[in-house]
Amino acid sequence: MSGAENAPPKTTSGAPRRGMSGADTPHRAMITVAAIGATLLQSLDQTIANVALPYMQGSFSASFDEITWVLTSYITAAAIMTAPVGWLAGRFGRKPLFISCIIGFTIASMLCGAAQSLPQIVAFRLLQGVFSAALVPLSQATLLDIYPPHRRGFAMAIWGMGVMIGPIMGPTLGGFLTEYYNWRWVFYINLPFGLLAAAGLLIFLPGGRQNDGSRFDWLGFAVLSTGIGALQLMLDRGQTLDWFSAREIVIEAILAGLGFYLFAVHLFSARRPLLRPMLFRDVNFLSGLVLMFAVGTVLVSSLSLMTPWLQVMSNYPVETAGLVMAPRGLGNLAAIMLCGRLATRVDPRYLAAIGLILLCASFYIMTGWTPDVAQGTLILTIVLQGFGLGLVFLPLQILAFATLAPELRTEGAALFALLRNIGAAIGVSVTSTVLARNTQALHEVIGASLTPFNRALAAVGAFDPNTHHGMALLDQVVNQQAAIIAYMNDYVLLICTTLPAVLLLLLMRKPPRGAAVEAEPVE
């Protein structure tokens, strides 16, 4: 064979083809640091804003269900923009896209920090989510490319550590910045990370392959985006507008249903759809998608419920609340490391089932929380919750991708990320809405028995309903008790969402030996 035949194919930019330069990539360590920095940007911003939500709520004079738009707008935009990442990387090149997304994410973060109203910060978080969608998949693909095949396991371990550092650091760092500076610094902190990551990739990352002739299913993407966006708007604004009594909610519900219906029809009728229908013929993968959606609904919503509980109900300082929430990430990391050792020895279905049961157990414990619950109990429950989530994620990937054709894994990974993000956005919206409605309804139920004719109350001078001071104190107590029961109801709802997902494991086949190594990680 001639030397010309042995030479690696060249791209328009002169760089070797994707995946063929791992053995001799220069500056590998610097590229790794920059790529992990980009991953850290995305994973950090998913959790760092949680502890600052009550402070944002006060700054913008927003209700609890309105301030959760800060979370859902980010997640929804990231979910929608996950689909075209592969096409954009092929069309414009991975390096330009990667650097552009980091710079765009950093600018959007600065705008979030400078926002002066609720609509502004929601719009800027939406923009931040658009740019964040590509950061994790591009960093993962970059590390797979620059490392030779025999070191890709090490590369994915490093990448996984970067993904996990964000949830561990987020609550603690967010609490510290909010306590000693201002909640706006939760977003301003992205500036040094973003500049360093962009500079590192600009200097050290070689140019990548471009494919100008590739086609993208814009019609499928448009109807899917319409469905997701309309559904999220309906969930976010339903509580404020009294649901289907408002014309806007009816229109959004119709658009959501129409968008998902047209996407399903287009998926099975188009010549080159956004997702190949073959994906949905694999029972393991299809069951894994539904299970991932169910787990996604509790992934962020449990954090968004925990933050106001700690700060408003239990009166924890924001810094302490961040420290209390951080062990969830440690429990998650410990479970992922354990699964990595057990994945080839234990049936992943058993590990996933144990994880789901532990997750439900943590929610069951939380149904008994009161504002004076011991801090040790809080931390142990949060660690248990993180450990349960960690036991679910890695085995679920192994099970879902074990029987999927290799050529479908890239689309499968993107779809997994999409369902997880949609589930997270819906989970936050539904739990915040249910919390608000139940608090109002329970306030009426409890307050119905508190009348000026109640002699037991009149006997306690401070709570005498015949005085203005007594009525104010009674209202405060009733609000607190209504909120406690409403939180309990939300945790019961999370149990009812998670526990039935165990049944989906019965539909999944045991993966063949070695599938744990071959399965591609999801974002």
Side-chain angles (χ1 to χ4, degrees):
M1 188 176 289
S2 65
E5 291 173 320
N6 284 326
K10 299 288 183 179
T11 66
T12 56
S13 61
R17 282 181 58 185
R18 179 175 179 262
M20 299 187 70
S21 57
D24 55 354
T25 301
H27 310 298
R28 184 183 294 151
M30 298 304 298
I31 297 173
T32 301
V33 171
I36 294 300
T39 302
L40 185 61
L41 276 175
Q42 196 271 352
S43 61
L44 189 66
D45 251 59
Q46 282 194 332
T47 55
I48 195 172
N50 281 284
V51 293
L53 281 182
Y55 291 81
M56 296 183 202
Q57 184 177 350
S59 295
F60 300 132
S61 300
S63 63
F64 176 73
D65 57 312
E66 287 175 338
I67 202 62
T68 55
W69 299 351
V70 174
L71 299 179
T72 56
S73 58
Y74 177 86
I75 299 169
T76 304
I80 291 173
M81 290 307 296
T82 299
V85 167
W87 179 83
L88 290 170
R91 177 66 179 83
F92 300 104
R94 184 188 299 163
K95 179 177 179 177
L97 178 64
F98 207 169
I99 295 172
S100 298
C101 286
I102 293 174
I103 294 173
F105 182 90
T106 305
I107 294 172
S109 298
M110 298 300 100
L111 292 173
C112 287
Q116 299 299 314
S117 65
L118 183 64
Q120 283 184 12
I121 196 170
V122 169
F124 295 145
R125 281 286 280 179
L126 198 71
L127 186 64
Q128 198 181 32
V130 167
F131 287 110
S132 76
L135 296 183
V136 170
L138 288 181
S139 64
Q140 184 180 14
T142 298
L143 291 184
L144 286 172
D145 279 1
I146 65 174
Y147 282 86
H150 67 278
R151 297 201 65 197
R152 284 177 184 166
F154 167 77
M156 286 300 96
I158 297 294
W159 177 81
M161 291 291 289
V163 172
M164 289 310 306
I165 288 173
I168 295 172
M169 286 178 55
T172 307
L173 183 60
F176 175 82
L177 292 171
T178 305
E179 177 74 15
Y180 292 102
Y181 295 95
N182 189 285
W183 66 260
R184 298 181 186 278
W185 283 91
V186 165
F187 300 105
Y188 291 150
I189 193 66
N190 289 330
L191 181 61
F193 288 105
L195 291 179
L196 289 173
L201 293 173
L202 181 65
I203 296 169
F204 299 109
L205 183 64
R209 177 178 62 180
Q210 290 181 234
N211 182 10
D212 295 334
S214 62
R215 296 182 60 186
F216 183 69
D217 181 18
W218 288 108
L219 178 58
F221 175 66
V223 293
L224 178 62
S225 301
T226 301
I228 296 173
L231 176 64
Q232 195 57 54
L233 277 173
M234 182 188 77
L235 293 172
D236 282 345
R237 292 181 56 77
Q239 173 67 13
T240 306
L241 301 178
D242 197 21
W243 294 101
F244 292 100
S245 61
R247 180 178 299 178
E248 178 188 329
I249 301 301
V250 173
I251 293 173
E252 287 163 356
I254 293 172
L255 286 175
L258 191 61
F260 288 123
Y261 171 75
L262 291 176
F263 177 73
V265 171
H266 180 76
L267 185 68
F268 292 98
S269 61
R271 292 182 59 188
R272 293 184 180 180
L274 186 65
L275 300 168
R276 282 178 277 187
M278 292 171 59
L279 282 167
F280 303 99
R281 297 174 188 168
D282 188 295
V283 176
N284 267 34
F285 182 75
L286 188 59
S287 301
L289 278 181
V290 180
L291 212 159
M292 176 57 73
F293 175 82
V295 174
T297 58
V298 305
L299 185 63
V300 182
S301 60
S302 55
L303 276 177
S304 69
L305 288 173
M306 201 178 302
T307 303
W309 172 274
L310 293 174
Q311 295 183 42
V312 178
M313 302 294 292
S314 295
N315 294 316
Y316 275 76
V318 62
E319 183 184 13
T320 307
L323 289 171
V324 170
M325 291 167 63
R328 175 169 136 146
L330 295 174
N332 202 316
L333 182 60
I336 288 175
M337 293 174 65
L338 179 64
C339 284
R341 291 181 173 271
L342 296 179
T344 56
R345 305 175 189 176
V346 180
D347 190 336
R349 293 175 296 181
Y350 297 151
L351 294 175
I354 293 171
L356 290 170
I357 292 170
L358 290 178
L359 197 57
C360 290
S362 72
F363 293 138
Y364 178 76
I365 294 171
M366 292 165 81
T367 60
W369 279 5
T370 58
D372 58 348
V373 62
Q375 192 174 101
T377 303
L378 281 171
I379 293 174
L380 287 175
T381 306
I382 290 169
V383 170
L384 179 66
Q385 189 178 112
F387 193 82
L389 282 169
L391 279 182
V392 173
F393 271 95
L394 184 59
L396 182 56
Q397 294 174 55
I398 295 169
L399 288 166
F401 289 94
T403 56
L404 196 65
E407 64 271 15
L408 297 175
R409 285 180 181 168
T410 301
E411 291 180 39
L415 189 57
F416 243 54
L418 177 65
L419 264 291
R420 185 190 67 190
N421 286 331
I422 293 174
I426 290 176
V428 172
S429 295
V430 171
T431 52
S432 62
T433 297
V434 171
L435 180 67
R437 292 183 72 87
N438 280 344
T439 301
Q440 294 169 6
L442 289 164
H443 185 281
E444 294 298 321
V445 172
I446 298 172
S449 60
L450 303 179
T451 68
F453 306 104
N454 191 320
R455 294 182 180 180
L457 291 174
V460 183
F463 292 98
D464 187 354
N466 294 296
T467 66
H468 292 295
H469 179 67
M471 287 297 292
L473 286 178
L474 281 173
D475 185 63
Q476 184 179 355
V477 171
V478 169
N479 274 332
Q480 185 188 55
Q481 296 303 311
I484 291 172
I485 301 172
Y487 274 103
M488 290 179 182
N489 291 341
D490 261 16
Y491 290 127
V492 170
L493 177 62
L494 294 181
I495 292 174
C496 294
T497 303
T498 307
L499 195 57
V502 178
L503 299 176
L504 291 169
L505 295 171
L506 300 176
L507 301 176
M508 305 176 86
R509 291 179 290 170
K510 181 180 179 180
R513 193 173 183 83
V517 178
E518 296 174 4
E520 291 191 10
V522 184
E523 291 179 37

